[in-house]
Amino acid sequence: MISFNVPPKVGTEEQYISEAIQSRKICGDGQFTKKCNAWLEKKTGTAKALLTTSCTHATEMAALLADIQPGDEVIMPSYTFVSTADAFVLRGAKVVFVDIRPDTMNIDENLIEDAITDKTKAIVPVHYAGVSCEMDTIMDIARRHHLLVIEDAAQGVGSTYKGKALGAIGDYGCYSFHETKNFSMGEGGALLIKDKKNVERAEIIREKGTNRSQFFRGQIDKYTWVDAGSSYLPSELNAAYLWAQLENEDVIFNDRMKSWKLYYELLKPLAEKEYIELPVIPHECTHNAHMFYIKAKDLEERTRLLSYLKEKDVNAVFHYIPLHSAPAGKKFGIFIGEDKYTTKESERLLRLPMYYGLKASDIEYIVESIKEFWR
Ligand SMILES: *Cc1c(COP(=O)(O)O)cnc(C)c1O
């Protein structure tokens, strides 16, 4: 069976985890967490990056920092992972879904303004497959309506829009280092903070509502409870695993990009015959080869293709069930405008195996199997 995902491992993870153990510091914010934070800041140009226990938690932190209150509205696509919505629902917000663009599967920037009311507090663009949303338009809408922009860049580590790192364009950016993402620490993520003035409160929220981060830097002589917060800092053992990956960013990136391009080249003839559609990368965007997907004609054809690939020992998958059609989505959200593409496109999309170390011969076999399906 060709797996859909294999967690990345570059070879130095055990060494770094053992260094963390020997340093007798395995809780959060030790040397490996600091290295990862600094790496992310340098890479993205953001004012501050803080490792978190997940991207879900980074988004929860952003919702707290944005002071989302019960009844506030937050605009996002329905075609996304549950966490994008959950983080705001936990604060009592109403989730307002708008349709996606069929080319990138990202929120349709031209539909956002119609969904804004006097209760709207934030726009949450999701950079699907590590390909950016139309951020200039989104930032302009946010500026004109005094809204915050919180980027769900879970899949976008290493991607850019007009040369800017995803996650560092909006007020807050949320990264994931889950084992299914390009860089991993098992479970984990990061919050990117654009404006320096929000950093202190972010550190407090992340440290159970205490000013312990300032205490550790020697800025105050005792720490205390100063605000509402939670425990969003990951252990050093996880950060050590991630550091091995970040240090080898190029190796992971190049390997994934090689696989992505091979899929694209080999599948092009099928796309030219209009049997399938391939991903679209707008020219403002560079991507990180997070995902390779194809689109079949419809749900029925995708279902047959998925089971054909299963028979061929290829584990392809699909996602997401649009949130507005899920039980919690109906309870906590509302879809504004017409669902022209969200449901239709989500039913056609099929993800092919993609991970660091995927063999070219496996890709050739997968593509050959897809071609056979149409023969
Ligand atoms: C993976 C993912 C998340 C959640 O990441 P975790 O680190 O598992 O919390 C959120 N949003 C999107 C779009 C994702 O792909």
Side-chain angles (χ1 to χ4, degrees):
M1 188 69 150
I2 301 176
S3 304
F4 171 68
N5 178 62
V6 176
K9 180 173 182 295
V10 293
T12 38
E13 288 86 352
E14 278 110 334
Q15 180 200 324
Y16 289 157
I17 289 171
S18 126
E19 277 176 33
I21 293 169
Q22 277 149 29
S23 76
R24 314 305 290 173
K25 165 113 182 145
I26 57 170
C27 67
D29 283 342
Q31 55 154 340
F32 288 107
T33 302
K34 285 183 186 143
K35 279 182 180 177
C36 292
N37 290 347
W39 188 95
L40 289 167
E41 284 157 15
K42 183 152 178 269
K43 174 87 187 163
T44 65
T46 189
K48 188 72 199 167
L50 295 169
L51 281 197
T52 57
T53 32
S54 66
C55 177
T56 307
H57 281 168
T59 316
E60 284 183 30
M61 283 184 67
L64 285 162
L65 285 158
D67 281 321
I68 301 294
Q69 299 296 320
D72 287 350
E73 295 178 4
V74 178
I75 297 172
M76 64 181 66
S78 169
Y79 185 72
T80 183
F81 189 58
V82 292
S83 301
T84 319
D86 261 331
F88 299 96
V89 165
L90 280 177
R91 305 257 62 78
K94 178 165 146 198
V95 182
V96 176
F97 300 114
V98 301
D99 209 8
I100 53 166
R101 303 164 33 152
D103 59 347
T104 56
M105 303 299 282
N106 283 334
I107 191 166
D108 186 337
E109 65 278 5
N110 297 314
L111 301 175
I112 293 173
E113 231 161 343
D114 283 344
I116 295 174
T117 71
D118 54 9
K119 290 187 173 152
T120 309
K121 285 285 150 61
I123 305 170
V124 187
V126 180
H127 305 299
Y128 183 70
V131 179
S132 182
C133 298
E134 194 4 67
M135 288 309 288
D136 275 357
T137 308
I138 292 172
M139 294 307 288
D140 180 59
I141 294 169
R143 195 170 326 114
R144 284 190 285 106
H145 294 270
H146 309 288
L147 305 176
L148 291 170
V149 174
I150 299 167
E151 297 177 71
D152 182 336
Q155 303 175 10
V157 183
S159 298
T160 65
Y161 169 83
K162 296 189 177 173
K164 286 183 235 160
L166 303 193
I169 301 168
D171 299 278
Y172 300 103
C174 308
Y175 281 173
S176 175
F177 300 117
H178 184 260
E179 74 162 32
T180 52
K181 300 304 199 291
N182 290 24
F183 309 101
S184 184
M185 54 196 282
E187 300 276 357
L191 177 67
L192 271 53
I193 301 156
K194 185 158 86 176
D195 193 331
K196 265 200 175 68
K197 75 174 196 298
N198 297 318
V199 172
E200 189 180 311
R201 184 151 173 249
E203 288 180 335
I204 288 166
I205 288 171
R206 182 167 166 270
E207 269 280 21
K208 301 97 182 163
T210 72
N211 50 6
R212 196 153 86 172
S213 298
Q214 288 163 280
F215 172 72
F216 282 134
R217 281 196 297 265
Q219 292 165 337
I220 46 177
D221 54 18
K222 58 176 187 289
Y223 77 85
T224 184
W225 184 29
V226 292
D227 201 348
S230 189
S231 185
Y232 291 126
L233 70 170
S235 120
E236 272 293 283
L237 302 177
N238 298 64
Y241 193 100
L242 181 65
W243 178 243
Q245 315 254 304
L246 295 183
E247 246 191 352
N248 283 285
E249 183 213 4
D250 290 354
V251 178
I252 293 176
F253 175 85
N254 292 336
D255 180 85
R256 294 187 76 110
M257 195 50 88
K258 207 172 79 199
S259 294
W260 198 96
K261 286 183 171 159
L262 184 59
Y263 268 132
Y264 198 94
E265 280 314 306
L266 295 176
L267 286 165
K268 227 154 114 191
L270 277 185
E272 278 158 6
K273 287 185 198 143
E274 297 185 358
Y275 289 144
I276 59 167
E277 279 173 38
L278 293 175
V280 173
I281 314 293
H283 72 268
E284 302 86 359
C285 307
T286 68
H287 73 108
N288 56 359
H290 172 62
M291 190 190 297
F292 200 94
Y293 66 81
I294 61 174
K295 284 184 189 169
K297 188 173 79 222
D298 53 22
L299 178 60
E300 186 270 331
E301 190 181 72
R302 182 186 71 181
T303 307
R304 281 193 295 119
L305 178 55
L306 274 170
S307 47
Y308 186 78
L309 290 174
K310 284 260 144 69
E311 275 171 40
K312 295 269 160 189
D313 271 342
V314 175
N315 193 14
V317 303
F318 69 85
H319 74 174
Y320 305 105
I321 306 292
L323 297 184
H324 74 283
S325 60
K330 287 181 184 151
K331 189 167 160 193
F332 300 120
I334 181 173
F335 196 103
I336 298 290
E338 189 193 344
D339 173 9
K340 212 164 149 189
Y341 295 113
T342 300
T343 300
K344 184 167 151 256
E345 298 301 301
S346 72
E347 288 177 347
R348 301 170 58 204
L349 188 137
L350 182 154
R351 299 174 66 186
L352 298 174
M354 173 58 100
Y355 51 85
Y356 170 65
L358 177 60
K359 294 205 279 286
S361 58
D362 282 347
I363 294 173
E364 283 158 11
Y365 172 80
I366 293 163
V367 171
E368 213 33 59
S369 305
I370 294 171
K371 285 181 174 166
E372 268 169 31
F373 174 80
W374 266 281
R375 268 190 220 124

